[in-house]
Amino acid sequence: MSTAPVTPAASAAPGITGVFVRLKLSLLRNGLRQSSGRRAAYIASVVLVLLFAAAQLLGLIALRGSAHAGTVAVFLVAVLALGWAVMPLFFPGGDETLDPTRLVMLPLRPRSLMRALLAASLVGIGPLFTLCMALGGVISVAHGAAAAVVSVVAVPLVVLICVALARAVATANIRLLTSRKGRDLAVLSGLLIAVGAQVVNFGAQKLGSTDGGLAKLDPAADVLGWIPPASALGAVRSVSEGAYAAGLARLALAVAALFALLTVWRRSLDRLMTSPDSSTLAAAEPAKEKARRTGRGRGLLPSGRTGTVMERTLRYVWRDPKTKAAWVTSLAIGLIVPLFNALQDTGSIYFACFAAGMLGIQMYNQFGQDTSAFWMVAMTIGSTRDAYVELRGRALALLVITLPYATLVTVLTTALLGDWAALPEVLGLSFALLGAMLATGAWSSARFPYSIPQDGYKNVAPGQAGLAWMSIFGGMVAATVLCAPVLAFTIWLHASGAQSWTWLLLPLGAVYGAAVTAGGLRLAAPRVAGRLPEILAAVSKG
């Protein structure tokens, strides 16, 4: 009696999908077992997402029969697909199964691995939320038996395209995402989401304040209706309106997009499983080339310790994820607040001072940004003069960015409001505020230092929250007091009707800001030199 030989690949292929689905469930279950706090946070997020999905589903169903139901549904699906495309770039560690490099040593073929990963990707909150959005969208636009039949195909197409899109993006960029630059991108994700929310909020306000409302979005929805996966909903809408040829064409576009994404995904898996990691290639870079790249001069920075401190500070801004996130957040918010208020016709030109205030905060807790590496800096400070030069170099590095930035934001805000006569006055106030914050920031860095954890999203080590509050908010109150003379002079000029002399505030604010900064640095230097052990102990915690 003979039996047909069974190859390992043939016997393993049918069970791989089930194994990966069980693996995904095991990862979720084991993650929840790590701590009660994580379990509570996950359950709370699940409940909130389900409630939001149910509200969106009911809202889309309530739109059924509305003239703009198709526009809303198409836009929602398009935004949802965009979210699926960018979320793997921002949160690569949110799903362990997104990293196929952990599977490259297993004897699996890319096709069977794709099938298993796709099935595992359908397990989770995201696919369920997408399913609710797609289901609500087709219910709101489907009318007639033919549209109902197309809907049966359109709903799974939307979900599969979104999941395949996320997988293709994650696989193609996984080595970038696991590198330092990828971690930088993840740290900045919250900022990008916040900025995007402000843009959406501004657009919604403008849309609600103009005549026509959602009708203005109909042309854009017509274009999005031909772009997958929104084309799947566009197909249902076209069939409901009797345009069967257009409906089939849009549905064919969605199917073609799904196959194209699967092809890109498979090729990325092939390349990932057969090509060497770029980090191993970088290790073999010739020593002369490395020396050439790392031995560049400082350019326009001054010589001596001042230039060294400036270069180190600017390198932290560019390379350290936490420092970079803080700077980019301040740059973005300092620009958004005055410009958006000006665009909404509700702002004042004095909002431009917000830019100088946001960047001035970066002077606070200067030594905490160094963390435990501050001991190397502390070894070079042997006198008050050394401490003064150290603080001066850090302040000058901040001014390299803050002075042109504050000037640019003020000019843009003035241009939007058309109040050019107030430009010198606001620039002078910004320079005075910046100088005051540099002075108080240097002093609070010496008096209230605290550690900044490098892992996670915490900006204060446990037990040091009080120090952080005293450092930042106490310093900001002190900066306001230091600005009082310039503010009083500004109010007096306006109250006395001498607006033609407000241009004096520009040189006055610049000179006052420079003087206050120099005084603050000289006041803080003795404290830094005399409290080096305490500062080092504070910034090394956590």
Side-chain angles (χ1 to χ4, degrees):
M1 180 177 180
S2 61
T3 58
V6 180
T7 62
S11 61
I16 286 179
T17 302
V19 169
F20 272 72
V21 172
R22 290 193 297 272
L23 175 63
K24 179 67 174 288
L25 295 174
S26 297
L27 288 172
L28 290 174
R29 183 173 59 254
N30 294 336
L32 296 178
R33 288 176 178 174
Q34 291 182 1
S35 66
S36 58
R38 181 170 181 174
R39 184 164 52 251
Y42 182 81
I43 294 174
S45 63
V46 169
V47 172
L48 290 175
V49 169
L50 290 178
L51 289 175
F52 185 68
Q56 292 291 316
L57 177 61
L58 294 176
L60 288 170
I61 294 174
L63 283 176
R64 181 178 173 84
S66 172
H68 304 295
T71 299
V72 174
V74 167
F75 263 93
L76 282 179
V77 171
V79 171
L80 195 62
L82 179 63
W84 275 96
V86 300
M87 283 301 108
L89 300 177
F90 292 155
F91 304 105
D95 184 357
E96 290 86 349
T97 62
L98 279 176
D99 187 358
T101 58
R102 303 183 181 187
L103 310 171
V104 295
M105 299 302 293
L106 299 179
L108 299 174
R109 295 186 179 275
R111 189 178 299 275
S112 58
L113 182 60
M114 271 181 50
R115 188 165 49 246
L117 288 175
L118 184 61
S121 299
L122 294 174
V123 178
I125 306 175
L128 179 60
F129 181 81
T130 306
L131 177 63
C132 292
M133 294 297 98
L135 189 60
V138 298
I139 292 176
S140 65
V141 299
H143 299 283
V149 173
V150 176
S151 299
V152 175
V153 181
V155 171
L157 262 180
V158 170
V159 178
L160 289 174
I161 289 175
C162 288
V163 173
L165 178 61
R167 282 291 178 178
V169 171
T171 304
N173 298 278
I174 191 62
R175 283 177 175 165
L176 169 66
L177 298 177
T178 54
S179 65
R180 180 177 59 84
K181 291 183 179 180
R183 292 191 293 270
D184 292 350
L185 184 63
V187 171
L188 298 177
S189 60
L191 167 67
L192 297 179
I193 293 173
V195 173
Q198 290 295 326
V199 173
V200 171
N201 179 51
F202 175 71
Q205 290 182 1
K206 283 293 184 181
L207 190 65
S209 62
T210 56
D211 297 333
L214 290 174
K216 291 185 173 295
L217 297 179
D218 288 341
D222 291 338
V223 175
L224 288 176
W226 287 95
I227 302 175
S231 62
L233 258 69
V236 178
R237 184 182 182 183
S238 297
V239 172
S240 299
E241 296 172 351
Y244 297 105
L248 290 177
R250 296 185 187 211
L251 195 63
L253 277 176
V255 174
L258 177 59
F259 278 101
L261 288 172
L262 293 177
T263 301
V264 172
W265 184 14
R266 182 177 61 80
R267 291 180 178 177
S268 297
L269 278 176
D270 281 333
R271 185 170 60 254
L272 192 66
M273 299 173 76
T274 57
S275 61
D277 192 348
S278 60
S279 61
T280 60
L281 300 177
E285 184 182 3
K288 290 184 179 180
E289 178 64 19
K290 288 185 178 181
R292 185 188 66 81
R293 290 192 299 105
T294 58
R296 294 170 181 168
R298 295 186 192 135
L300 299 177
L301 298 182
S303 59
R305 177 167 186 150
T306 300
T308 302
V309 174
M310 292 179 66
E311 183 180 12
R312 182 197 338 127
T313 303
L314 294 174
R315 283 183 183 272
Y316 278 168
V317 173
W318 181 250
R319 292 184 175 182
D320 181 63
K322 284 293 182 72
T323 306
K324 181 186 291 186
W327 268 94
V328 175
T329 301
S330 297
L331 289 169
I333 296 178
L335 180 67
I336 288 173
V337 170
L339 293 191
F340 273 46
N341 279 278
L343 289 171
Q344 293 174 350
D345 298 327
T346 59
S348 166
I349 192 172
Y350 296 104
F351 273 115
C353 297
F354 200 79
M358 287 301 301
L359 294 188
I361 294 177
Q362 302 307 315
M363 187 63 187
Y364 292 80
N365 195 33
Q366 276 292 305
F367 308 124
Q369 298 174 14
D370 298 350
T371 63
S372 58
F374 176 69
W375 73 269
M376 292 186 291
V377 177
M379 294 293 291
T380 66
I381 299 178
S383 64
T384 300
R385 173 65 183 175
D386 293 337
Y388 174 75
V389 176
E390 175 73 25
L391 290 172
R392 184 180 63 185
R394 293 176 183 246
L396 289 175
L398 267 64
L399 288 174
V400 169
I401 302 174
T402 53
L403 276 179
Y405 177 79
T407 303
L408 175 63
V409 173
T410 305
V411 171
L412 289 176
T413 306
T414 305
L416 290 174
L417 295 175
D419 192 5
W420 291 103
L423 177 60
E425 171 189 352
V426 179
L427 269 179
L429 290 174
S430 295
F431 294 158
L433 174 61
L434 181 58
M437 297 200 72
L438 291 178
T440 56
W443 187 86
S444 67
S445 295
R447 183 64 181 85
F448 302 111
Y450 58 90
S451 177
I452 301 177
Q454 293 300 296
D455 298 328
Y457 294 91
K458 293 182 178 180
N459 291 319
V460 182
Q464 293 186 327
L467 284 174
W469 279 88
M470 287 188 290
S471 174
I472 297 177
F473 290 98
M476 292 173 65
V477 171
T480 303
V481 173
L482 287 178
C483 287
V486 181
L487 290 174
F489 183 63
T490 304
I491 295 173
W492 179 80
L493 287 176
H494 285 277
S496 62
Q499 285 87 351
S500 59
W501 292 95
T502 54
W503 63 269
L504 288 173
L505 287 167
L506 178 54
L508 175 64
V511 172
Y512 184 82
V516 169
T517 300
L521 296 179
R522 293 194 177 277
L523 181 65
R527 288 185 172 273
V528 173
R531 301 186 71 246
L532 284 177
E534 293 87 348
I535 295 174
L536 181 58
V539 301
S540 300
K541 289 184 178 180

